[in-house]
Amino acid sequence: MNIKFYSDTICGWCFIGHSRLKKAISSFSKINFNIEHVPFQLNPDMPLQGIDRRDYLNLKFGGPENAQPMYDHMTSQAQTENLNFNLNLIKKTPNTIKSHILIKFSEKFDLQEQIKEQIFTAYFIEGKDIGDQNILLEIAKSLNLNIDHLSEEFSKKENFEKINSYIPIYQSKGIHGVPYFEINDKTISGAQSTENIIKVIQSIV
């Protein structure tokens, strides 16, 4: 069964959706799932160095106080998945293109699930700047990936172009938010419950 999982690495709902998808597919031991992690950029025009978190919240929500109810709800939902978000530790909103390059690089070694989870953890739980190449190299090193090779991948213009090439694809599909799942010919939008994902899979098999 083919699943395309559209997500961004600074999307908390995507971290929650990632956890719920893993739980859902673990219920089907006899099905072979082919999961493609499709890079989605919530802020494609973000400066490569990122911006101060408070400045970002002012620009996007008109101030941290306006964003707080949404973040409180997201944090409580994360706790149901045993994910202890520490959003107060986040000091910068990063550009995510290099984190997507790392995920694509890790596919060659079938480590994309572990890498993606570590990127999410670094950002939402540890408050690290996942736009920082050195942070991404640390994550890669922890899973024994060749960081010299990865450093070369970060320097290649074509890798940036490849990630950006997905923008018109999801725009043409009318996908404006993530997480978003394509499960064979069915779609799920948002961080649906594990039970809802299971129901969609069952409707296909």
Side-chain angles (χ1 to χ4, degrees):
M1 185 174 294
N2 295 315
I3 298 178
K4 289 186 177 181
F5 179 19
Y6 296 76
S7 64
D8 200 0
T9 49
I10 59 161
C11 166
W13 292 110
C14 296
F15 193 2
I16 294 166
H18 183 257
S19 176
R20 291 174 177 172
L21 176 63
K22 284 199 308 178
K23 287 182 180 178
I25 64 177
S26 69
S27 302
F28 299 90
S29 59
K30 296 182 180 179
I31 297 177
N32 181 36
F33 291 94
N34 176 39
I35 301 175
E36 178 187 354
H37 292 277
V38 183
F40 188 101
Q41 295 178 76
L42 287 167
N43 305 301
D45 298 322
M46 177 69 66
L48 193 59
Q49 70 274 17
I51 63 173
D52 179 83
R53 178 71 170 173
R54 181 168 287 273
D55 290 341
Y56 173 75
L57 294 177
N58 286 334
L59 287 168
K60 194 169 182 75
F61 301 103
E65 63 281 353
N66 295 330
Q68 198 60 48
M70 184 269 288
Y71 286 136
D72 287 343
H73 177 54
M74 184 174 70
T75 298
S76 67
Q77 284 295 303
Q79 287 174 344
T80 68
E81 303 299 320
N82 295 316
L83 303 173
N84 297 311
F85 284 9
N86 293 304
L87 303 184
N88 58 308
L89 297 180
I90 298 172
K91 304 304 180 187
K92 181 185 284 189
T93 297
N95 181 300
T96 59
I97 196 163
K98 285 188 176 181
S99 65
H100 288 302
I101 290 173
L102 170 53
I103 292 168
K104 284 297 178 186
F105 174 75
S106 68
E107 287 179 355
K108 304 172 187 176
F109 311 97
D110 197 27
L111 287 171
Q112 61 271 27
E113 293 290 331
Q114 296 94 316
I115 284 288
K116 191 171 187 178
E117 189 156 334
Q118 288 217 23
I119 293 171
F120 278 139
T121 298
Y123 186 65
F124 288 101
I125 297 176
E126 299 169 359
K128 293 181 178 179
D129 177 9
I130 59 168
D132 185 331
Q133 183 168 313
N134 290 324
I135 297 295
L136 297 173
L137 289 171
E138 285 178 11
I139 291 171
K141 188 176 181 180
S142 72
L143 288 169
N144 298 315
L145 290 176
N146 187 315
I147 59 174
D148 291 332
H149 189 185
L150 177 58
S151 294
E152 292 176 10
E153 295 299 299
F154 284 143
S155 68
K156 293 178 180 177
K157 182 181 177 182
E158 60 261 35
N159 286 329
F160 288 81
E161 291 173 343
K162 180 179 180 181
I163 300 302
N164 286 329
S165 72
Y166 286 93
I167 296 174
I169 294 174
Y170 53 71
Q171 287 179 339
S172 69
K173 292 173 176 284
I175 303 171
H176 302 296
V178 283
Y180 188 91
F181 306 88
E182 292 179 351
I183 304 176
N184 279 8
D185 61 345
K186 296 184 182 293
T187 61
I188 302 176
S189 180
Q192 300 281 337
S193 67
T194 299
E195 291 72 24
N196 282 349
I197 299 173
I198 288 173
K199 286 177 182 178
V200 171
I201 295 172
Q202 287 173 333
S203 73
I204 296 171
V205 298

